[in-house]
Structure formats: structure tokens, C-alpha cells
Amino acid sequence: MAGLRLAVSWLTVLPVQGPDSVDRGAAGRAIALAPLVGAGLGGAAAGVLWLLVWAGASAPLAGLVVVAGSALITRGMHVDGLADTMDGLGSYGSPERARQVMKSGGAGPFGVAAIVFAVGIQAFSFAGLAQADRWFAVVLAVAVGRVAVVLACRRGIDAAPDTGFGALVAGTQRPVTIALWVALALIASACTVPEHRWLGPLVVLVALGISALLVRHSTRRFGGLSGDILGATLEISVAITAAGLSLGT
């Protein structure tokens, strides 16, 4: 329960008190439970989306409101991480210079473009899922973003220099934990598009595969894993999963 409380306090603005002191063991347990938090956030997103559409809002508007609400309930830190990571990847120079760009505090052109595309893809994909009554697909898309975070913290991944959060979580996830969450995501995804049961598992595999490539490239570029990379991985995975599951709507 301490690990779950820590996961909720890290990943949301909900008033949940985590443990007073956090070491790598506690951080690893919190990351391992992140998909549970994602499933809860996904359920809330699907509920709000359904309520808005039922109340008469257009599906695109409802999708945008849900994405905005998701950013608010997660403190906007994942969107901020996406912007910082893209700005860092778009910069020239050494890994040290790229990390300085990420810590500059502002959003450059690459970061702004990444936010626009990620938010737009998520919002309109959620709208398509709502129009097709694929409510569980919304839940799964949000949860898969957190499964990608577990995958990003696998053993063998080092933390970037001068990063507190990365030092806590990098390399904490065992292969069995990753395999369990990936298997659960694949099983659940088979129920998201009943008329094409192969589509869900394929989309999940593509989303997690792209997230793994992003983490590999980013950790090489920046010298290791950071919280910003995890935020970028999460947002991109949600966008890809939601877009893929909306195909055929």
C-alpha cells in the first residue's frame, strides 16, 4: 500500500500522502504500480468523456476537455517532460548541452510542436473512440502510457547525471514485472475492438516498441534516464495507443 500511495502522490495531484522517506526500493515499487494508477485515470477519463458526449458536447470538444483534465490531474509534468525532451533532442552539441536545454525552463519550437501534436492526436483519437462507443479503449490507452514507464525503467538503464528522479527509478524494474504488465495489456487490448480482435494487441505492441526506441535514443543522447524522458514516453505512448485503437471508427 505504501508503494501505491507513493505512485498516486507522484503521478497525480490527489491528496495522497506517500512515505516520509523514499529510497530506490520504494521508488521501484511505486513505478511497478504505475499502470494501476493509469487504469484509474483512464477510467476517470472515459467517464468524463461519456458524460460530456451524453450532455450534448461534440466528440472533439469532449476529447480536448478530457486531455486538458488529464494534464491538470497529473500536474502537467508529463506534457512538460515531453516538451523538454523534444527540445533536448532537437538541440546540437554534447549531452551536457542537451541537458542544459532541457533544464532551461522554457519550451522551444520542438517542444511546442510536440505538445500540439500529442494533445491533438490524443483529443481527436478519444473523440473517435467515443463516437464508436469504445470506452474501454480510452482506459487502456491511458494505462498503456504507464506500462511504457515501467518498461523505460527496466534493469540495464542508467540515470542521467544530475537527475534526482531518474536516479531513484532507473533500472529498478525486473523483467518479470515488465512481462506481467505487457501481458496484461495485450490480453486487455483484445477486448477493445471486438470486430477486429487482432487490432488491440498490435497497437499495444507498436506503442510499447516505439516507446522503447524513444527511451533508447534519448538515454544515449542525454547520458541516461530522467523524469523528462519518462514524461515524453508516457504521452507519446498514450497518443499512439489511442490513435491506433480509433482506427476503423
Side-chain angles (χ1 to χ4, degrees):
M1 292 303 296
L4 183 58
R5 291 200 305 271
L6 180 58
V8 173
S9 67
W10 270 354
L11 298 173
T12 73
V13 296
L14 298 178
V16 176
Q17 181 66 41
D20 295 330
S21 60
V22 179
D23 55 15
R24 278 180 56 83
R29 289 189 291 274
I31 292 296
L33 294 171
L36 283 180
V37 180
L41 292 173
V48 172
L49 188 64
W50 177 87
L51 183 62
L52 289 171
V53 173
W54 175 82
S58 67
L61 175 61
L64 283 169
V65 171
V66 166
V67 173
S70 297
L72 288 175
I73 201 170
T74 57
R75 303 187 186 92
M77 58 185 176
H78 304 139
V79 176
D80 179 68
L82 172 64
D84 289 343
T85 300
M86 293 302 110
D87 282 335
L89 290 176
S91 66
Y92 294 98
S94 64
E96 291 77 12
R97 171 57 182 161
R99 292 196 298 270
Q100 290 176 359
V101 171
M102 294 172 68
K103 295 179 179 179
S104 63
F110 289 100
V112 172
I115 291 175
V116 170
F117 280 111
V119 168
I121 291 171
Q122 290 181 27
F124 287 103
S125 296
F126 287 161
L129 294 172
Q131 291 173 326
D133 291 330
R134 296 179 184 175
W135 307 106
F136 182 65
V138 177
V139 180
L140 182 68
V142 178
V144 166
R146 279 69 183 175
V147 175
V149 168
V150 176
L151 179 60
C153 295
R154 62 190 179 276
R155 291 184 176 177
I157 297 291
D158 297 323
D162 304 321
T163 174
F165 189 76
L168 276 176
V169 303
T172 59
Q173 298 307 302
R174 298 179 297 170
V176 64
T177 304
I178 297 170
L180 175 62
W181 281 119
V182 171
L184 288 174
L186 290 173
I187 293 170
S189 66
C191 304
T192 55
V193 187
E195 58 270 31
H196 302 295
R197 293 194 178 274
W198 54 269
L199 179 60
L202 177 61
V203 168
V204 170
L205 287 175
V206 170
L208 294 179
I210 292 176
S211 73
L213 291 175
L214 173 64
V215 171
R216 180 181 179 183
H217 177 65
S218 299
T219 52
R220 288 182 175 181
R221 180 71 181 89
F222 304 136
L225 187 70
S226 67
D228 285 334
I229 296 175
L230 293 178
T233 301
L234 187 154
E235 290 294 338
I236 291 174
S237 299
V238 173
I240 293 173
T241 305
L245 295 177
S246 69
L247 294 177
T249 56

